[in-house]
Amino acid sequence: SVTKLLLLFTVSSGGLLAYSESKSGPAAFDVESSPSDGKKKKVVVLGTGWAGTSFLKNLDISSYDVQVVSPRNYFAFTPLLPSVTCGTVEARSIVEPIRNIIKKKSGEIQFWEAECVKIDAANKKVLCRCNDSGHFVGKGEFLLDYDYLVIALGAEVNTFNTSGVIEHCHFLKEIEDAQKIRRSVIDCFERAIIPNLTEEERRTNLHFVIVGGGPTGVEFAAELHDFVQEDLVKLYPVVQDLVKITVIQSGDHILNAFDERISSFAEQKFQRDGIELLTGSRVVGVSNEAITLKMKSKGEISSVPYGMVVWSTGIRTRPVVSDFMDQIGQSNRRALATDEWLQVKGCNNVYALGDCATINQRKVMEDISTIFSAADKDNSGTLTVEEFRDVIDDILVRYPQIELYLKSKHLQHITDLLKDSETNDGKDLDIEKFKSAFSHVDSQMKTLPATAQVASQQGTYLARCFNHMEESKVNPEGPLRFRESGRHQFRPFQYKHFGQFAPLGGEQTAAELPGDWVSIGHSTQWLWYSVYASKQVSWRTRVLVISDWTRRFIFGRDSSRI
Ligand code: FAD
């Protein structure tokens, strides 16, 4: 019955999550500055990534004068970037011109291919500069006024100021990075077969090092392994035994944000595939010939010669966002802090979404305590199993991201407590014990992961807020907890987690699905194909991606260095 209860709790929370999404709407706005004088308010959107594009796709632009600024005039489907590095999918198949997206909207949106270099929230202006690559005639700088600013600038690669990384490593963040990696892999093979090299030199040329054992690093290692085994060894048979792929990870395990079962399956698979894992090691410098490593436990320093390095260790804020954070007193933060309605703290009418932002939640534990107390109607300090189940449902409706952390250890803790109560003849459950199970996850619950899923849900949410702005003034829909201080105009943003994938090569993928489900293997790879095909932003890219996969099945990957 413990299992039944947990199943019920998972299923019912899923149902409630779906319910909450359909009801959840839109966010806080400054009522005074909403369009009432008949003149359209100006909305400036910075960035055309996951957050910016999903905002634009869902915005009803008939009520706004919208301008979009981005140095890239396309949207890139980043989850398929690792596939571009080895030619499994072509770069052009995963990008959609932003003008194609906006031309489908009934109304006018202006797009400026430029970079925002300064945000001036006090004067409601942004300073933009045209891309300086190529020949540009004219001033190249312009100012845009806004009534509402949507910051969806993403983030940049974090090198942790490690010396030599910028100069000698590849990154995997943008389309250009993936294209460079693809050329570089082929270069390494071509270099390795040049006459008059020693075997050691050939080995070094064919040593591919990936720094970072997160999802991107692991997926790239798996793609590269497949490319080498399925295509390149046939073209470069003389050096096939000299190829080596190494993943360096500072933590003790790769994929450590995933379920333990996935992480250990990935480690075992890599071991079988001959991919070397150097865990517990930190890169302290990179020269043009070797990587310097420090073992975290022994402090030992070693040097690893390489042919190519891909640096994939995480992200940090872009300079323009850091500068803005300094202006508004958020200097010491990891990302721009917003409230639960995605409005930047302390800045009216400025919103931040996606990787550049972090939601600063109110005290989560306080809220959880209130829910527990409200359920304890007779003040006995205990709840029945039924009441406890209602409490869990209520908590998950307010904080769906808890589901992410109610795994393994924490879920186990709750299961153990329930078991205890069963052995005590179904005696009531001690509230304090259960509350302490939640306190473990308190700090993690405050931040959402930097993923496309979060960015795109935030974009959709904010667009709905903009679309309902007038209507919500008459019928506010905010939560009851704001009643005393004037009910809030909109429900706060609620993230719904649909799970995550980790492709591991050899047509095998691991998936972590909502409700603590883990699925690994060939069938999950087909699930991955279906999900990623369905998530494409247009039919054009969907057809291109599927035809690339088919081409790869039939003809293999293209190894020309173009
Ligand atoms: P981005 O998508 O990075 O968009 C930022 C936008 O801002 C871009 O259009 C950029 O051109 C623009 N910009 C940059 N600087 C300026 C400027 N100064 N002025 C104006 N515009 C500017 N997430 C998942 O959920 N699942 C996955 O499988 C997954 N796989 C990934 C694989 C890779 C290789 C990478 C790199 C990321 C992956 N992610 C995945 C993470 C996901 O891509 C990011 O979380 C997501 O892109 C964040 O969206 P965003 O809109 O905040 O930023």
Side-chain angles (χ1 to χ4, degrees):
S1 59
V2 171
T3 328
K4 259 194 227 155
L5 182 60
L6 282 169
L7 197 68
L8 207 73
F9 139 54
T10 314
V11 171
S12 63
S13 63
L16 283 161
L17 293 185
Y19 167 81
S20 74
E21 196 202 37
S22 61
K23 287 267 179 182
S24 88
F29 286 84
D30 181 354
V31 179
E32 279 172 20
S33 64
S34 54
S36 54
D37 52 1
K39 206 172 145 214
K40 286 185 183 178
K41 292 282 176 188
K42 291 180 187 159
V43 178
V44 171
V45 182
L46 304 177
T48 53
W50 279 95
T53 303
S54 100
F55 175 76
L56 289 173
K57 280 186 85 172
N58 290 284
L59 183 68
D60 172 5
I61 55 167
S62 57
S63 340
Y64 299 101
D65 169 1
V66 185
Q67 304 191 65
V68 184
V69 181
S70 176
R72 294 187 177 80
N73 72 350
Y74 54 79
F75 162 81
F77 192 89
T78 47
L80 287 180
L81 268 184
S83 304
V84 173
T85 58
C86 298
T88 308
V89 167
E90 292 298 327
R92 285 196 178 269
S93 305
I94 64 160
V95 300
E96 182 67 12
I98 203 70
R99 290 182 191 280
N100 277 4
I101 293 173
I102 59 186
K103 93 169 178 233
K104 290 182 188 145
K105 309 285 301 180
S106 52
E108 206 183 325
I109 300 183
Q110 282 167 315
F111 172 75
W112 313 117
E113 192 187 81
E115 211 177 319
C116 166
V117 286
K118 181 107 192 150
I119 299 168
D120 178 359
N123 297 304
K124 293 192 159 188
K125 287 182 196 309
V126 288
L127 176 64
C128 303
R129 188 174 296 148
C130 294
N131 287 351
D132 54 12
S133 55
H135 180 58
F136 183 80
V137 180
K139 224 167 139 206
E141 275 192 359
F142 56 95
L143 274 174
L144 295 178
D145 294 325
Y146 65 81
D147 295 307
Y148 298 117
L149 179 65
V150 177
I151 305 176
L153 290 166
E156 63 178 25
V157 172
N158 197 352
T159 64
F160 300 96
N161 296 327
T162 313
S163 76
V165 172
I166 304 253
E167 297 84 345
H168 306 295
C169 296
H170 285 271
F171 301 112
L172 185 46
K173 187 81 181 69
E174 311 289 348
I175 289 283
E176 298 89 328
D177 298 334
Q179 288 171 313
K180 273 191 210 153
I181 291 177
R182 185 173 175 183
R183 283 194 290 269
S184 187
V185 170
I186 306 296
D187 272 345
C188 288
F189 274 84
E190 294 295 353
R191 277 202 305 262
I193 55 160
I194 293 281
N196 297 334
L197 294 190
T198 63
E199 188 178 306
E200 209 41 47
E201 286 163 338
R202 292 187 208 282
R203 276 187 197 281
T204 302
N205 277 314
L206 291 173
H207 188 198
F208 300 93
V209 180
I210 294 123
V211 185
T216 302
V218 166
E219 189 176 344
F220 171 64
E223 272 282 346
L224 182 60
H225 176 264
D226 284 359
F227 186 26
V228 171
Q229 295 307 317
E230 292 166 15
D231 302 290
L232 295 178
V233 291
K234 295 177 201 151
L235 304 173
Y236 305 88
V238 283
V239 290
Q240 61 172 311
D241 296 331
L242 309 182
V243 183
K244 184 171 168 194
I245 301 173
T246 303
V247 177
I248 300 172
Q249 160 75 333
S250 61
D252 294 337
H253 296 281
I254 56 169
L255 294 179
N256 52 16
F258 279 73
D259 189 283
E260 266 176 48
R261 286 166 283 181
I262 293 183
S263 162
S264 63
F265 179 87
E267 286 174 358
Q268 284 161 20
K269 180 168 190 308
F270 275 14
Q271 208 173 14
R272 285 195 301 275
D273 290 345
I275 298 174
E276 188 183 26
L277 290 180
L278 291 179
T279 52
S281 307
R282 202 162 59 85
V283 174
V284 289
V286 184
S287 72
N288 63 347
E289 282 171 356
I291 295 176
T292 310
L293 281 182
K294 188 173 181 184
M295 289 267 289
K296 275 168 61 182
S297 54
K298 298 180 199 152
E300 226 171 65
I301 303 268
S302 58
S303 178
V304 179
Y306 67 85
M308 180 184 144
V309 187
V310 173
W311 185 272
S312 168
T313 56
I315 52 171
R316 66 173 179 200
T317 48
R318 294 189 189 277
V320 60
V321 177
S322 307
D323 173 72
F324 178 53
M325 287 164 72
D326 290 344
Q327 281 177 50
I328 59 170
Q330 292 195 8
S331 307
N332 297 323
R333 293 190 157 270
R334 183 185 64 79
L336 259 174
T338 71
D339 60 21
E340 291 163 275
W341 291 266
L342 309 186
Q343 181 161 268
V344 175
K345 290 250 162 188
C347 288
N348 269 349
N349 301 338
V350 179
Y351 299 86
L353 332 170
D355 285 1
C356 67
T358 169
I359 300 180
N360 202 1
Q361 302 234 21
R362 293 168 322 103
K363 288 209 164 50
V364 183
M365 260 332 274
E366 250 177 54
D367 223 23
I368 289 179
S369 294
T370 314
I371 297 173
F372 269 108
S373 309
D376 181 19
K377 294 188 191 82
D378 56 0
N379 279 332
S380 62
T382 59
L383 294 180
T384 63
V385 173
E386 280 301 307
E387 284 169 338
F388 173 72
R389 211 186 58 220
D390 291 344
V391 164
I392 297 286
D393 284 346
D394 204 0
I395 291 172
L396 284 173
V397 169
R398 286 188 199 194
Y399 299 105
Q401 66 269 38
I402 288 184
E403 242 201 326
L404 280 179
Y405 302 107
L406 273 186
K407 295 228 167 107
S408 52
K409 193 167 85 192
H410 306 301
L411 190 61
Q412 192 56 48
H413 190 42
I414 292 180
T415 316
D416 292 346
L417 288 170
L418 282 170
K419 264 190 201 146
D420 281 356
S421 84
E422 288 219 329
T423 44
N424 287 345
D425 294 332
K427 238 175 137 187
D428 290 342
L429 311 172
D430 184 339
I431 289 183
E432 283 312 312
K433 279 190 189 164
F434 279 93
K435 270 203 314 209
S436 74
F438 284 98
S439 66
H440 293 300
V441 292
D442 182 35
S443 58
Q444 291 134 312
M445 277 167 357
K446 288 177 187 159
T447 49
L448 287 171
T451 62
Q453 256 190 90
V454 172
S456 117
Q457 286 181 34
Q458 289 183 331
T460 308
Y461 166 82
L462 193 66
R464 286 188 194 156
C465 297
F466 275 74
N467 298 345
H468 289 86
M469 209 184 289
E470 288 300 305
E471 187 191 323
S472 68
K473 271 189 250 164
V474 189
N475 298 311
E477 57 175 19
L480 303 182
R481 63 177 188 258
F482 288 95
R483 258 191 186 154
E484 312 88 60
S485 53
R487 193 167 173 179
H488 206 283
Q489 201 175 350
F490 293 112
R491 280 176 177 246
F493 169 72
Q494 289 190 338
Y495 170 60
K496 187 174 180 192
H497 186 61
F498 291 102
Q500 51 188 347
F501 287 108
L504 301 172
E507 293 297 310
Q508 295 198 58
T509 287
E512 203 177 274
L513 303 165
D516 207 29
W517 291 90
V518 164
S519 166
I520 304 173
H522 297 284
S523 51
T524 318
Q525 176 75 27
W526 285 99
L527 180 67
W528 182 88
Y529 283 130
S530 335
V531 170
Y532 281 11
S534 71
K535 290 281 170 201
Q536 294 301 313
V537 280
S538 71
W539 273 102
R540 191 189 69 86
T541 54
R542 190 167 297 126
V543 169
L544 288 174
V545 163
I546 294 172
S547 66
D548 283 351
W549 286 333
T550 316
R551 168 190 50 75
R552 202 270 295 168
F553 271 119
I554 301 170
F555 302 109
R557 300 166 184 86
D558 179 358
S559 65
S560 346
R561 188 210 176 281
I562 46 171

